[in-house]
Amino acid sequence: MIAFALVRYRFRARSAVNSLIFLPMAMPEVVMAASLLTLFLNMGAQLGFWTILIAHIMFCLSFVVVAVKARVMSMDPRLEEAARDLYAGPVQTFLRVTLPIAAPGIAAGALLSFALSFDDFIITNFNAGSTVTFPMFVWGSAQRGTPVQINVIGTAMFLVAVLFVLVSMLITNRRNSQKA
C-alpha cells in the first residue's frame, strides 16, 4: 500500500515518507535494534515473540516497499484504464489487472524480507527477551560446536531456494516458448 501511494499519488509529506522509508536500510542494525529496545522498554512491553515480530516488520518494511515500488513504477497505467473502460469496478480492476502485474514485486519483497528476517541476529537478540529464535540458537550452539540440526536446516533452505529458481526458470521458459 505504501509503495502504491508513493508512486501513484502526490501528497504533502511524500518526500518525507520517501526518506523515512530508506532510513532503516541506511541505518546500522545495532542502532535500530537499540532504538526499538528502548521504545519497547519505555512502553513497558514484555520482550518476546510480539516484540520480535514488530522489530522484524519495522526492519523489513523498507526493503519490501522499495521492491514493490520498483514494480509499480514500471506498470503501464493504460492497462487499468482499459479495464475501467470495459466496466470493471475498482475491486475487479485491482484483483484482475493491478495485483497480477505487481505480484512479482510483492513476491520479491516477501522473499527478500524472509531472507533478511531469517538471518537477522542483532535485532532479534536485542528484542527477544527469553524467546529463542533460529539465529540465536545457531549463535548459542556455535560456541559449543555446530549441531547437526543447523546443517539440516541450512541444506533445506538452500534446496528450497534452488527449487524456487528452477520453477521460476521453467515458468519463464514455458511462457517464452508459448509466445514464439
Side-chain angles (χ1 to χ4, degrees):
M1 299 287 190
I2 296 171
F4 278 94
L6 288 173
V7 171
R8 300 232 169 132
Y9 301 104
R10 305 282 179 241
F11 51 93
R12 189 173 298 193
R14 184 171 175 245
S15 60
V17 171
N18 238 342
S19 298
L20 286 174
I21 290 297
F22 283 101
L23 196 58
M25 292 172 35
M27 184 184 315
E29 279 190 57
V30 173
V31 174
M32 186 165 189
S35 63
L36 285 169
L37 175 62
T38 304
L39 173 73
F40 293 141
L41 291 177
N42 285 338
M43 289 174 44
Q46 173 93 18
L47 296 180
F49 173 78
W50 293 109
T51 56
I52 294 172
L53 182 69
I54 292 168
H56 281 249
I57 289 170
M58 296 302 297
F59 171 65
C60 294
L61 184 67
S62 59
F63 293 97
V64 173
V65 169
V66 168
V68 175
K69 187 177 162 190
R71 184 65 181 165
V72 172
M73 287 175 69
S74 70
M75 288 174 54
D76 188 1
R78 293 178 295 182
L79 295 172
E80 292 170 311
E81 290 173 19
R84 286 191 296 268
D85 285 345
L86 295 170
Y87 300 104
V91 173
Q92 226 176 0
T93 301
F94 180 76
L95 292 177
R96 294 182 184 240
V97 178
T98 308
L99 190 59
I101 295 172
I106 295 169
L111 289 173
L112 180 62
S113 176
F114 172 76
L116 290 168
S117 182
F118 186 78
D119 186 47
D120 187 63
F121 173 76
I122 297 171
I123 291 176
T124 305
N125 192 32
F126 272 70
N127 297 291
S130 61
T131 306
V132 178
T133 62
F134 183 69
M136 295 175 70
F137 172 73
V138 171
W139 178 72
S141 299
Q143 294 174 347
R144 297 181 303 275
T146 306
V148 178
Q149 294 93 332
I150 293 173
N151 294 329
V152 171
I153 292 176
T155 303
M157 292 302 297
F158 175 74
L159 292 176
V160 167
V162 168
L163 183 68
F164 273 135
V165 170
L166 291 176
V167 168
S168 173
M169 289 175 58
L170 183 66
I171 291 170
T172 302
N173 287 338
R174 282 193 182 171
R175 284 184 184 165
N176 290 340
S177 66
Q178 289 175 354
K179 289 180 183 177

